[in-house]
Amino acid sequence: MVDLIIEANEILTLDRLRPTAKRFGITNGRIIGFDEELDGFDLSSVPVDRYPDQTIVPGFIDAHCHTTWWGLGLNGIPVAEARGLDEFYDLLRDAVAKLDEGEWVYGIGFSEMHHGGQLPDIRVVDEITGDHPMYIRNISGHASLTNTATLRMVGAFDPDFEPPQGGVLVRDESGKFTGLVEETAQGLLQQLILPYSHDQIVAALHTATKEYAAQGITSFTEAGVGGGWIGHSPVEIAAYQTAAESGQLFARAQLMPALDALEDIEGAAADFQGTQHAAGLSLGIRTGIGSELVSLGPVKVFTDGSLLGRTAAVTESFCGHPHNHGYLLTPADELNERVARAYRAGWNLALHAIGDAAIDLALDIIEQCQNTYGRRSTPNRIEHFGLSRPDQVERAAKLGVAVTPQHGFIHLFGAEMVDRIGEHRRDTLYRGKTLVDAGVIVAGSSDSPVCDINVRRAMQAAVDRVSEDGSIIGENEGLDREQALRLYTEWGAIATGTINDKGTLTAGKLADFVALSDSPLHAERLDELDVQATYVGGRRTYSTNE
């Protein structure tokens, strides 16, 4: 029996055996057939959704984002809107005036490039915020702003205070705290807030995934839950389950547990590749478990920081900062052992590596795990792959690694990144064509809320490589339109291990798709396409007509 018929001016399936169609049928949330394949069914009473002027494509997959973080921030102070520190201070004043005693001053999206490269003066911030604790997250996610009241709460003024490994509470030349908190030191702030309540996380997921649906996103990978400074609760996965069960999750979620969320586990002598010891979650839960709506992906591992914050681990100094090569967040030997324990327990790997020195380490770890314990059908991943050398591209292809560069960064702050690394390294940033030509699996992602979730803008950036100052970032790295579309569909499904169910519109696969105002293969600009409707499992989650 057919539950629903979809008709459109053009259906781009991205299935090479049947690249286009005019209609398809849906049964129990999956595609049952196309065009003439439906002729044997009684369709007389089957409802039809028609898109006579639109083009339908597979649903978009955002392979690396931070949904809970973004959803929580949507209700925080809109610091990303401020242009100039005076506006930023005014936003703080307005927010503080509405807070009860002891409430947090919280927001996401602060960026120095909106303020002439300047950071807020902690003395002004202290005057405005007083005794309220403050946590303002940088757009990169790898740094935050805080105030003196919060620094006192974390013990920063104690004589024996030591920041956590891989993090810094930044001081000025006179030794005074500036309020800038880098990398793992953010955990000092997080531990004062955590855990967010179950209901808060569910509400954040509802808000965020509603926005995903409006952008045509039908699946996403949450890059870090349950632990470390990236997680929001030790029971974060339960909130996803509740959101799914209560109809508040409008896209399919693959969750990456943070490495810090894993615990030492011990099995029989023959378990875990004959080592008996590993790192995982209770009951032997590992990558792949879950439902069509919520499942567990690879374990998320941080190796370094960010280019904008000059904390990415690079082999050549950042411009204007001699001898500053960023830093690894964990010593290589220690990280290698921790990751190997997770891999033995059945966890695939997703290693955050932005600088080329960090990419070297990530490739070393993946190669050692695969050589020692074997490759798996789902590829191990390197998240971001931001500043890469040709030899690293070749090595990633040889190892079968999937990478998730954020092409949306190119337009948003590509020029700022070039300023950090130097003109001579411009063409090494967030590669595209070089990776594809080498045979590397490349998946599209936003890293939201670092970048916005507009997939069409990111696809346009992957094609034209134009930064905000009009310059080209990676002259020979542009993809064609079909490749840009596959970034967020087929290739995203391969990278996330879900190609049997997603990524192309094929009989038997999930009916996840988007109706666009025009064909992405022929539109003059991809970023001018409109999302007309979004479906997940044949259920409409967004429509311009509703």
Side-chain angles (χ1 to χ4, degrees), residues 459-507:
M459 288 195 296
Q460 182 65 42
V463 171
D464 64 30
R465 310 280 306 187
V466 176
S467 190
E468 74 274 21
D469 66 350
S471 65
I472 304 297
I473 308 290
E475 187 175 24
N476 298 311
E477 294 292 346
L479 303 179
D480 64 36
R481 282 169 167 73
E482 182 176 335
Q483 290 171 329
L485 179 59
R486 289 186 189 276
L487 276 178
Y488 286 90
T489 53
E490 181 189 23
W491 298 346
I494 294 171
T496 56
T498 58
I499 189 60
N500 290 334
D501 285 319
K502 308 173 189 174
T504 65
L505 299 178
T506 304

Short mmCIF file of all heavy atoms in Angstrom, two decimals, residues 459-507:
data_model
loop_
_atom_site.label_atom_id
_atom_site.label_comp_id
_atom_site.label_asym_id
_atom_site.label_seq_id
_atom_site.Cartn_x
_atom_site.Cartn_y
_atom_site.Cartn_z
N MET A 459 27.08 25.62 0.29
CA MET A 459 27.33 25.02 -1.02
C MET A 459 27.88 26.06 -1.99
O MET A 459 28.78 25.76 -2.79
CB MET A 459 26.05 24.39 -1.57
CG MET A 459 25.63 23.12 -0.85
SD MET A 459 24.38 22.14 -1.75
CE MET A 459 22.99 23.26 -1.76
N GLN A 460 27.33 27.27 -1.95
CA GLN A 460 27.84 28.33 -2.82
C GLN A 460 29.30 28.63 -2.50
O GLN A 460 30.12 28.81 -3.42
CB GLN A 460 27.00 29.60 -2.66
CG GLN A 460 27.43 30.76 -3.55
CD GLN A 460 27.23 30.46 -5.02
OE1 GLN A 460 26.22 29.88 -5.42
NE2 GLN A 460 28.22 30.83 -5.83
N ALA A 461 29.65 28.66 -1.23
CA ALA A 461 31.04 28.90 -0.85
C ALA A 461 31.95 27.76 -1.30
O ALA A 461 33.10 28.00 -1.68
CB ALA A 461 31.14 29.07 0.67
N ALA A 462 31.44 26.54 -1.28
CA ALA A 462 32.23 25.40 -1.75
C ALA A 462 32.50 25.50 -3.24
O ALA A 462 33.51 24.98 -3.75
CB ALA A 462 31.51 24.09 -1.44
N VAL A 463 31.62 26.16 -3.97
CA VAL A 463 31.77 26.34 -5.42
C VAL A 463 32.66 27.53 -5.74
O VAL A 463 33.63 27.42 -6.50
CB VAL A 463 30.39 26.48 -6.10
CG1 VAL A 463 30.56 26.89 -7.57
CG2 VAL A 463 29.61 25.19 -6.00
N ASP A 464 32.35 28.71 -5.18
CA ASP A 464 33.07 29.92 -5.61
C ASP A 464 34.25 30.30 -4.72
O ASP A 464 35.10 31.09 -5.12
CB ASP A 464 32.11 31.11 -5.78
CG ASP A 464 31.45 31.56 -4.48
OD1 ASP A 464 32.05 31.42 -3.40
OD2 ASP A 464 30.32 32.10 -4.57
N ARG A 465 34.29 29.81 -3.47
CA ARG A 465 35.41 30.02 -2.55
C ARG A 465 35.67 31.50 -2.26
O ARG A 465 36.79 31.91 -1.95
CB ARG A 465 36.69 29.39 -3.11
CG ARG A 465 36.57 27.94 -3.57
CD ARG A 465 36.61 26.95 -2.49
NE ARG A 465 37.76 27.06 -1.62
CZ ARG A 465 38.07 26.17 -0.67
NH1 ARG A 465 37.27 25.13 -0.47
NH2 ARG A 465 39.12 26.32 0.09
N VAL A 466 34.62 32.32 -2.31
CA VAL A 466 34.77 33.77 -2.11
C VAL A 466 34.62 34.11 -0.64
O VAL A 466 33.61 33.78 -0.01
CB VAL A 466 33.75 34.55 -2.95
CG1 VAL A 466 33.86 36.05 -2.66
CG2 VAL A 466 33.96 34.29 -4.43
N SER A 467 35.61 34.81 -0.08
CA SER A 467 35.56 35.23 1.31
C SER A 467 34.85 36.57 1.43
O SER A 467 34.47 37.19 0.44
CB SER A 467 36.97 35.33 1.89
OG SER A 467 36.91 35.51 3.30
N GLU A 468 34.67 37.02 2.69
CA GLU A 468 33.87 38.21 2.93
C GLU A 468 34.50 39.47 2.37
O GLU A 468 33.82 40.46 2.14
CB GLU A 468 33.59 38.38 4.43
CG GLU A 468 34.77 38.86 5.26
CD GLU A 468 35.67 37.73 5.72
OE1 GLU A 468 35.66 36.65 5.12
OE2 GLU A 468 36.40 37.93 6.70
N ASP A 469 35.83 39.43 2.12
CA ASP A 469 36.49 40.60 1.55
C ASP A 469 36.56 40.54 0.03
O ASP A 469 37.19 41.39 -0.60
CB ASP A 469 37.89 40.76 2.14
CG ASP A 469 38.83 39.62 1.75
OD1 ASP A 469 38.35 38.62 1.17
OD2 ASP A 469 40.04 39.74 2.02
N GLY A 470 35.91 39.53 -0.57
CA GLY A 470 35.88 39.39 -2.02
C GLY A 470 37.03 38.59 -2.59
O GLY A 470 37.06 38.31 -3.80
N SER A 471 37.98 38.19 -1.76
CA SER A 471 39.12 37.41 -2.24
C SER A 471 38.76 35.93 -2.35
O SER A 471 37.79 35.47 -1.74
CB SER A 471 40.32 37.60 -1.32
OG SER A 471 40.06 37.05 -0.03
N ILE A 472 39.56 35.20 -3.10
CA ILE A 472 39.36 33.77 -3.28
C ILE A 472 40.24 33.01 -2.30
O ILE A 472 41.44 33.28 -2.19
CB ILE A 472 39.69 33.33 -4.73
CG1 ILE A 472 38.86 34.14 -5.74
CG2 ILE A 472 39.46 31.84 -4.90
CD1 ILE A 472 37.38 33.92 -5.63
N ILE A 473 39.64 32.05 -1.61
CA ILE A 473 40.37 31.19 -0.68
C ILE A 473 40.49 29.81 -1.31
O ILE A 473 39.52 29.05 -1.35
CB ILE A 473 39.65 31.07 0.68
CG1 ILE A 473 39.31 32.44 1.26
CG2 ILE A 473 40.48 30.23 1.64
CD1 ILE A 473 40.47 33.24 1.73
N GLY A 474 41.66 29.48 -1.85
CA GLY A 474 41.82 28.19 -2.52
C GLY A 474 41.38 28.29 -3.96
O GLY A 474 40.32 27.81 -4.34
N GLU A 475 42.24 28.89 -4.76
CA GLU A 475 41.88 29.20 -6.15
C GLU A 475 41.47 27.98 -6.94
O GLU A 475 40.60 28.05 -7.81
CB GLU A 475 43.07 29.90 -6.82
CG GLU A 475 42.79 30.44 -8.20
CD GLU A 475 43.97 31.21 -8.75
OE1 GLU A 475 45.12 30.97 -8.31
OE2 GLU A 475 43.73 32.08 -9.60
N ASN A 476 42.09 26.85 -6.65
CA ASN A 476 41.82 25.62 -7.42
C ASN A 476 41.02 24.60 -6.61
O ASN A 476 41.03 23.41 -6.94
CB ASN A 476 43.14 25.00 -7.88
CG ASN A 476 43.92 25.93 -8.79
OD1 ASN A 476 43.37 26.47 -9.75
ND2 ASN A 476 45.21 26.10 -8.50
N GLU A 477 40.35 25.04 -5.57
CA GLU A 477 39.65 24.12 -4.68
C GLU A 477 38.14 24.10 -4.89
O GLU A 477 37.43 23.36 -4.21
CB GLU A 477 39.94 24.47 -3.22
CG GLU A 477 41.39 24.25 -2.80
CD GLU A 477 41.79 22.78 -2.77
OE1 GLU A 477 40.89 21.91 -2.81
OE2 GLU A 477 42.99 22.50 -2.71
N GLY A 478 37.60 24.91 -5.80
CA GLY A 478 36.16 24.98 -5.99
C GLY A 478 35.57 23.69 -6.54
O GLY A 478 36.13 23.05 -7.43
N LEU A 479 34.41 23.30 -6.03
CA LEU A 479 33.68 22.14 -6.51
C LEU A 479 32.66 22.57 -7.55
O LEU A 479 32.29 23.74 -7.64
CB LEU A 479 32.94 21.46 -5.34
CG LEU A 479 33.79 21.00 -4.15
CD1 LEU A 479 32.89 20.37 -3.10
CD2 LEU A 479 34.87 20.02 -4.59
N ASP A 480 32.19 21.62 -8.36
CA ASP A 480 31.07 21.94 -9.23
C ASP A 480 29.77 21.81 -8.43
O ASP A 480 29.78 21.38 -7.28
CB ASP A 480 31.07 21.08 -10.50
CG ASP A 480 30.89 19.58 -10.24
OD1 ASP A 480 30.13 19.23 -9.31
OD2 ASP A 480 31.48 18.77 -10.96
N ARG A 481 28.67 22.21 -9.04
CA ARG A 481 27.41 22.25 -8.31
C ARG A 481 26.95 20.88 -7.83
O ARG A 481 26.43 20.74 -6.72
CB ARG A 481 26.33 22.91 -9.18
CG ARG A 481 26.43 24.42 -9.22
CD ARG A 481 25.54 25.01 -10.30
NE ARG A 481 25.41 26.46 -10.14
CZ ARG A 481 26.37 27.33 -10.43
NH1 ARG A 481 27.53 26.87 -10.91
NH2 ARG A 481 26.19 28.62 -10.26
N GLU A 482 27.12 19.88 -8.66
CA GLU A 482 26.69 18.54 -8.24
C GLU A 482 27.53 18.05 -7.07
O GLU A 482 27.00 17.44 -6.13
CB GLU A 482 26.79 17.56 -9.41
CG GLU A 482 26.31 16.16 -9.03
CD GLU A 482 26.30 15.19 -10.20
OE1 GLU A 482 26.21 15.65 -11.36
OE2 GLU A 482 26.38 13.97 -9.95
N GLN A 483 28.84 18.30 -7.11
CA GLN A 483 29.69 17.90 -5.99
C GLN A 483 29.29 18.63 -4.71
O GLN A 483 29.26 18.03 -3.62
CB GLN A 483 31.15 18.18 -6.32
CG GLN A 483 31.72 17.28 -7.40
CD GLN A 483 33.09 17.73 -7.86
OE1 GLN A 483 33.40 18.93 -7.87
NE2 GLN A 483 33.93 16.79 -8.26
N ALA A 484 28.97 19.91 -4.83
CA ALA A 484 28.54 20.68 -3.66
C ALA A 484 27.26 20.10 -3.07
O ALA A 484 27.09 20.04 -1.85
CB ALA A 484 28.34 22.14 -4.04
N LEU A 485 26.35 19.65 -3.93
CA LEU A 485 25.12 19.02 -3.45
C LEU A 485 25.41 17.69 -2.78
O LEU A 485 24.83 17.36 -1.74
CB LEU A 485 24.14 18.84 -4.62
CG LEU A 485 22.80 18.19 -4.32
CD1 LEU A 485 22.03 18.97 -3.26
CD2 LEU A 485 21.98 18.05 -5.60
N ARG A 486 26.33 16.91 -3.37
CA ARG A 486 26.66 15.61 -2.78
C ARG A 486 27.35 15.76 -1.42
O ARG A 486 27.26 14.86 -0.58
CB ARG A 486 27.51 14.80 -3.74
CG ARG A 486 26.75 14.30 -4.96
CD ARG A 486 27.56 13.36 -5.84
NE ARG A 486 26.88 13.08 -7.09
CZ ARG A 486 25.92 12.14 -7.26
NH1 ARG A 486 25.57 11.38 -6.24
NH2 ARG A 486 25.35 11.96 -8.43
N LEU A 487 28.05 16.88 -1.18
CA LEU A 487 28.65 17.13 0.13
C LEU A 487 27.64 16.94 1.24
O LEU A 487 27.94 16.37 2.30
CB LEU A 487 29.16 18.57 0.21
CG LEU A 487 30.51 18.97 -0.32
CD1 LEU A 487 30.69 20.47 -0.13
CD2 LEU A 487 31.63 18.22 0.38
N TYR A 488 26.43 17.46 1.01
CA TYR A 488 25.39 17.49 2.05
C TYR A 488 24.34 16.39 1.89
O TYR A 488 23.33 16.43 2.59
CB TYR A 488 24.74 18.87 2.05
CG TYR A 488 25.63 19.92 2.65
CD1 TYR A 488 26.51 20.65 1.86
CD2 TYR A 488 25.63 20.16 4.02
CE1 TYR A 488 27.36 21.59 2.41
CE2 TYR A 488 26.48 21.10 4.58
CZ TYR A 488 27.34 21.81 3.78
OH TYR A 488 28.18 22.73 4.34
N THR A 489 24.61 15.46 1.01
CA THR A 489 23.66 14.37 0.79
C THR A 489 24.40 13.03 0.78
O THR A 489 24.68 12.47 1.84
CB THR A 489 22.87 14.60 -0.52
OG1 THR A 489 23.78 14.82 -1.61
CG2 THR A 489 21.94 15.80 -0.39
N GLU A 490 24.77 12.57 -0.39
CA GLU A 490 25.40 11.25 -0.52
C GLU A 490 26.69 11.14 0.30
O GLU A 490 26.88 10.17 1.05
CB GLU A 490 25.70 10.96 -1.99
CG GLU A 490 26.34 9.59 -2.21
CD GLU A 490 26.83 9.39 -3.62
OE1 GLU A 490 27.07 10.39 -4.34
OE2 GLU A 490 26.98 8.21 -4.02
N TRP A 491 27.58 12.10 0.16
CA TRP A 491 28.86 11.99 0.85
C TRP A 491 28.70 12.13 2.36
O TRP A 491 29.42 11.49 3.13
CB TRP A 491 29.85 13.03 0.31
CG TRP A 491 30.14 12.84 -1.16
CD1 TRP A 491 29.84 11.74 -1.92
CD2 TRP A 491 30.78 13.78 -2.04
NE1 TRP A 491 30.24 11.94 -3.22
CE2 TRP A 491 30.82 13.18 -3.33
CE3 TRP A 491 31.30 15.05 -1.88
CZ2 TRP A 491 31.38 13.83 -4.43
CZ3 TRP A 491 31.87 15.69 -2.97
CH2 TRP A 491 31.90 15.09 -4.23
N GLY A 492 27.75 12.94 2.78
CA GLY A 492 27.47 13.03 4.20
C GLY A 492 26.97 11.71 4.76
O GLY A 492 27.31 11.31 5.88
N ALA A 493 26.16 11.00 3.96
CA ALA A 493 25.65 9.70 4.40
C ALA A 493 26.77 8.66 4.47
O ALA A 493 26.80 7.83 5.38
CB ALA A 493 24.55 9.23 3.45
N ILE A 494 27.70 8.70 3.52
CA ILE A 494 28.82 7.77 3.56
C ILE A 494 29.67 8.03 4.80
O ILE A 494 30.05 7.11 5.53
CB ILE A 494 29.68 7.90 2.28
CG1 ILE A 494 28.87 7.44 1.05
CG2 ILE A 494 30.96 7.07 2.41
CD1 ILE A 494 29.55 7.73 -0.27
N ALA A 495 29.96 9.30 5.06
CA ALA A 495 30.81 9.66 6.21
C ALA A 495 30.18 9.26 7.53
O ALA A 495 30.88 8.93 8.49
CB ALA A 495 31.10 11.15 6.18
N THR A 496 28.87 9.31 7.61
CA THR A 496 28.17 8.98 8.86
C THR A 496 27.73 7.52 8.93
O THR A 496 27.06 7.13 9.89
CB THR A 496 26.94 9.90 9.05
OG1 THR A 496 26.08 9.78 7.91
CG2 THR A 496 27.36 11.35 9.20
N GLY A 497 28.10 6.75 7.92
CA GLY A 497 27.76 5.32 7.94
C GLY A 497 26.30 5.01 7.72
O GLY A 497 25.82 3.95 8.12
N THR A 498 25.59 5.93 7.05
CA THR A 498 24.14 5.76 6.88
C THR A 498 23.73 5.71 5.41
O THR A 498 22.56 5.92 5.09
CB THR A 498 23.39 6.91 7.58
OG1 THR A 498 23.83 8.18 7.04
CG2 THR A 498 23.64 6.89 9.08
N ILE A 499 24.66 5.41 4.51
CA ILE A 499 24.36 5.46 3.09
C ILE A 499 23.31 4.43 2.67
O ILE A 499 22.61 4.60 1.67
CB ILE A 499 25.66 5.27 2.25
CG1 ILE A 499 25.41 5.54 0.76
CG2 ILE A 499 26.26 3.90 2.49
CD1 ILE A 499 24.91 6.92 0.44
N ASN A 500 23.14 3.36 3.44
CA ASN A 500 22.10 2.38 3.10
C ASN A 500 20.70 2.92 3.31
O ASN A 500 19.72 2.36 2.79
CB ASN A 500 22.28 1.10 3.92
CG ASN A 500 23.51 0.32 3.52
OD1 ASN A 500 23.96 0.41 2.38
ND2 ASN A 500 24.08 -0.44 4.44
N ASP A 501 20.58 4.01 4.07
CA ASP A 501 19.27 4.57 4.37
C ASP A 501 19.07 6.00 3.87
O ASP A 501 17.93 6.46 3.77
CB ASP A 501 19.03 4.58 5.89
CG ASP A 501 18.73 3.20 6.44
OD1 ASP A 501 17.99 2.45 5.79
OD2 ASP A 501 19.25 2.89 7.52
N LYS A 502 20.16 6.71 3.58
CA LYS A 502 20.06 8.14 3.29
C LYS A 502 21.00 8.52 2.15
O LYS A 502 21.73 7.69 1.62
CB LYS A 502 20.44 8.98 4.51
CG LYS A 502 19.74 8.66 5.81
CD LYS A 502 20.37 9.46 6.95
CE LYS A 502 19.87 9.03 8.30
NZ LYS A 502 20.58 9.70 9.41
N GLY A 503 20.98 9.79 1.82
CA GLY A 503 21.98 10.35 0.91
C GLY A 503 21.58 10.42 -0.54
O GLY A 503 22.01 11.31 -1.27
N THR A 504 20.77 9.48 -0.99
CA THR A 504 20.19 9.49 -2.33
C THR A 504 18.71 9.12 -2.20
O THR A 504 18.30 8.53 -1.20
CB THR A 504 20.88 8.50 -3.28
OG1 THR A 504 20.65 7.16 -2.81
CG2 THR A 504 22.38 8.75 -3.37
N LEU A 505 17.95 9.49 -3.19
CA LEU A 505 16.54 9.07 -3.23
C LEU A 505 16.48 7.79 -4.05
O LEU A 505 16.57 7.79 -5.27
CB LEU A 505 15.68 10.17 -3.84
CG LEU A 505 15.69 11.50 -3.07
CD1 LEU A 505 14.85 12.55 -3.79
CD2 LEU A 505 15.19 11.30 -1.64
N THR A 506 16.35 6.68 -3.34
CA THR A 506 16.42 5.34 -3.93
C THR A 506 15.35 4.48 -3.29
O THR A 506 15.08 4.59 -2.09
CB THR A 506 17.81 4.72 -3.67
OG1 THR A 506 18.82 5.61 -4.17
CG2 THR A 506 17.95 3.37 -4.35
N ALA A 507 14.74 3.62 -4.07
CA ALA A 507 13.72 2.72 -3.53
C ALA A 507 14.30 1.93 -2.36
O ALA A 507 15.38 1.36 -2.44
CB ALA A 507 13.23 1.77 -4.61
#
